[in-house]
Amino acid sequence: MSESLAQYQEDLRRFSDELIRIQTPIKILDAIKWPREMEERFLSSKGTVLPAIKQDFYQNIALPFDPAKTQAELLSLKNDIHRRLGKKDKLGKLLVANVDQYRLVVDMLGHRGTPTFGKLSQELYGSASHRLHGDRHTLRQLGDRLSYIFSLPAARHMNKHHPKIISAPEAVNVLSQRLEKYFHSDDMRVRLSDGIVSDAAVGGDTVKLNSKAMFSESDLNVYEVHEGWVHVGTTLNGRAQPHATWLSVGSPRVAATQEGLAVLLEMLTLSSNPGRARRISDRVAAVDMAENGADFIEVFNYFRELNLSAKDSYRVTQRVFRGGMVEGGSFFTKDISYVRGYVENINFIRSAITSGLPELIPMLFLGKLAIEDIPVLYQACQEGILTPPKYLPPMFDNFSGLYAWFGFASGLAGIDLKGVQRHFTRLFKDVPSIDPSLELLDDTEFDNNSD
């Protein structure tokens, strides 16, 4: 190894570790989460009284870092990267992109409960009015289409096949055993938590399950691949990098790729269910309504009118207004990441196959990255600066089956689906419809609410 390459790798590691150190106390969701009793109060009012969340509520949630000092450290790190690696260095540019993201995050958290919070959220995560790459449809249009599909009578009927009968301690044991087999060379934990509002969450190498929740077998299947294989897996893959350790932490610019990949794994492993798929799709509509000025009650009532339970209507709404303003005018747009990222990951895989570059596909698991980073990261792997992913799901490790799957999907993409649907609608016209009594929703159906 040349002396210059060794020095470059040393600098890359030093800057990566410094970024990790600076960003460690920056916990976006912790800084904007609402107390659990807020849900009880709102539902007890029958959804007629806005949650008591004002700007002073957020001011009373102390940030575990000094914003001014953190901004100064991030700016100093950016200048050091430019000085040592140069402004044109490709890996240096990715590092700086993440540094700039954290600078925006610090600014956003300093404006919780104000209109500026929503504007900065859109800058970091995007907007439901944005269009997908190369497509004319907005994310809201796609979300509405998916929500319709996953709320059809057949979908609602299938949701009854997933009863929540597994206690939290039992769920921890089951999930621990599954993930210990997958992460054979690293320590990771599944533990109970009283401090999360959702049913499941991930922090670094730890999957946290809500101690007060009950779970279905489908929930555990989802958590195994979504929280485990993807979120914990990419963390550990990033930590295994000898120089680019920043790949173990994720700024908002990687949210769509991460969440979309996690949802894709749910689909490829047949772990998901229509209820969960609908929740993910509904989040886009909630973001779009908030972006267009709706207040908390208006968004909540929108989902109630679509036959979503009161509890789940509250939860999908709360996710979008955390950090913003319940009376309207500010919002948190991260929830578009799931649908946007799902489509982008699929299109990336299909394009890698049709472009003759299927070896790019496993790079999705290299660490916390944005899809646009992959060509640069792949080249760095080829040059020996980065190492390949340590943990890969079976279908990404030996991706011949994945190639066949998406190869067929690409080949069929040009078929007129409306014409096909008309053909089969005629074929199905005499088939008895589902018993209408099975279409009714109760308040227990869509309770799984993992981030």
Side-chain angles (χ1 to χ4, degrees):
M1 180 189 300
S2 69
E3 184 177 341
S4 61
L5 178 57
Q7 182 61 58
Y8 177 81
Q9 293 175 337
E10 181 183 328
D11 288 339
L12 197 63
R13 175 63 187 249
R14 178 164 55 86
F15 294 141
S16 295
D17 289 349
E18 177 66 359
L19 177 57
I20 291 172
R21 182 193 69 78
I22 296 171
Q23 66 81 45
T24 294
I26 304 174
K27 308 293 185 187
I28 298 175
L29 298 185
D30 285 349
I32 61 175
K33 70 180 179 182
W34 296 4
R36 190 176 287 114
E37 57 266 23
M38 200 62 66
E39 177 180 337
E40 299 169 3
R41 293 176 192 169
F42 182 79
L43 296 181
S44 66
S45 78
K46 306 298 183 183
T48 60
V49 179
L50 284 172
I53 303 288
K54 298 290 185 181
Q55 187 177 358
D56 59 356
F57 166 81
Y58 295 111
Q59 291 174 343
N60 290 327
I61 303 177
L63 297 173
F65 60 90
D66 181 328
K69 179 183 177 183
T70 301
Q71 287 282 20
E73 290 179 327
L74 288 167
L75 183 57
S76 176
L77 175 58
K78 177 178 179 178
N79 291 335
D80 286 345
I81 294 170
H82 282 160
R83 186 163 46 250
R84 290 291 299 177
L85 303 184
K87 292 185 177 182
K88 295 183 178 181
D89 181 78
K90 293 181 179 180
L91 290 177
K93 284 183 178 181
L94 297 187
L95 257 173
V96 167
N98 283 282
V99 171
D100 285 341
Q101 286 271 293
Y102 285 115
R103 295 176 67 198
L104 284 174
V105 168
V106 172
D107 195 13
M108 181 181 74
L109 294 182
H111 288 88
R112 292 168 295 173
T114 73
T116 301
F117 178 91
K119 292 183 177 68
L120 290 171
S121 176
Q122 288 175 317
E123 192 170 344
L124 287 164
Y125 296 102
S127 165
S129 64
H130 288 171
R131 287 172 169 76
L132 296 164
H133 295 307
D135 192 77
R136 61 185 176 83
H137 296 97
T138 66
L139 285 169
R140 172 63 193 266
Q141 289 173 317
L142 176 59
D144 284 349
R145 175 60 179 164
L146 293 173
S147 293
Y148 167 76
I149 292 171
F150 295 126
S151 60
L152 291 171
R156 298 202 294 270
H157 175 49
M158 283 185 279
N159 288 320
K160 296 181 180 293
H161 298 176
H162 306 288
K164 295 180 180 293
I165 58 175
I166 303 172
S167 68
E170 184 181 357
V172 166
N173 290 334
V174 172
L175 202 55
S176 294
Q177 291 174 14
R178 294 185 187 181
L179 292 178
E180 283 171 5
K181 293 179 181 177
Y182 184 83
F183 296 110
H184 47 81
S185 299
D186 277 279
D187 290 332
M188 61 81 55
R189 295 189 301 157
V190 182
R191 66 175 179 84
L192 295 175
S193 174
D194 294 325
I196 59 173
V197 177
S198 57
D199 286 351
V202 171
D205 56 10
T206 301
V207 177
K208 295 175 281 189
L209 299 184
N210 193 322
S211 60
K212 295 179 173 60
M214 295 290 290
F215 304 91
S216 67
E217 182 65 27
S218 177
D219 293 337
L220 300 189
N221 292 339
V222 166
Y223 300 156
E224 179 181 3
V225 299
H226 187 117
E227 273 72 24
W229 292 9
V230 176
H231 292 326
V232 174
T234 51
T235 294
L236 296 179
N237 285 343
R239 287 181 185 175
Q241 289 299 321
H243 314 295
T245 53
W246 93 80
L247 289 168
S248 64
V249 297
S251 66
R253 67 185 296 273
V254 312
T257 302
Q258 272 284 296
E259 300 298 354
L261 187 61
V263 173
L264 176 58
L265 260 291
E266 294 179 33
M267 304 307 166
L268 290 176
T269 58
L270 306 183
S271 299
S272 194
N273 58 72
R276 174 164 173 77
R278 179 185 172 181
R279 280 192 304 280
I280 290 170
S281 306
D282 282 345
R283 293 171 183 175
V284 182
V287 169
D288 186 65
M289 291 183 68
E291 288 182 308
N292 282 288
D295 67 18
F296 191 97
I297 292 175
E298 289 172 318
V299 177
F300 171 81
N301 286 337
Y302 170 80
F303 290 109
R304 290 297 286 138
E305 290 168 3
L306 292 178
N307 292 321
L308 203 62
S309 71
K311 181 181 292 185
D312 286 294
S313 295
Y314 171 87
R315 291 185 176 181
V316 71
T317 305
Q318 180 266 337
R319 292 173 63 96
V320 174
F321 281 91
R322 52 187 172 173
M325 300 160 59
V326 294
E327 63 271 25
S330 189
F331 32 76
F332 187 49
T333 62
K334 176 181 180 288
D335 274 356
I336 65 170
S337 301
Y338 298 81
V339 168
R340 173 188 156 199
Y342 176 68
V343 175
E344 288 180 351
N345 273 276
I346 286 178
N347 287 338
F348 170 82
I349 293 172
R350 289 171 58 183
S351 298
I353 288 171
T354 55
S355 299
L357 294 167
E359 60 272 16
L360 294 178
I361 296 172
M363 295 294 293
L364 287 165
F365 287 86
L366 187 69
K368 311 290 187 186
L369 52 83
I371 281 178
E372 291 76 14
D373 302 344
I374 289 181
V376 170
L377 297 174
Y378 179 73
Q379 183 178 348
C381 276
Q382 297 298 103
E383 295 169 353
I385 299 172
L386 303 184
T387 58
K390 182 177 182 180
Y391 296 109
L392 280 171
M395 70 287 289
F396 283 82
D397 190 13
N398 177 3
F399 50 86
S400 58
L402 204 63
Y403 186 110
W405 177 303
F406 282 96
F408 269 115
S410 298
L412 298 176
I415 289 179
D416 179 5
L417 292 181
K418 290 184 178 179
V420 172
Q421 189 173 4
R422 285 193 296 270
H423 167 77
F424 282 104
T425 298
R426 290 192 294 269
L427 183 67
F428 299 155
K429 66 182 178 64
D430 294 325
V431 177
S433 61
I434 293 175
D435 185 341
S437 66
L438 297 176
E439 298 180 20
L440 299 177
L441 295 173
D442 60 43
D443 280 352
T444 65
E445 282 189 350
F446 294 121
D447 283 349
N448 171 29
N449 189 40
S450 72
D451 255 300

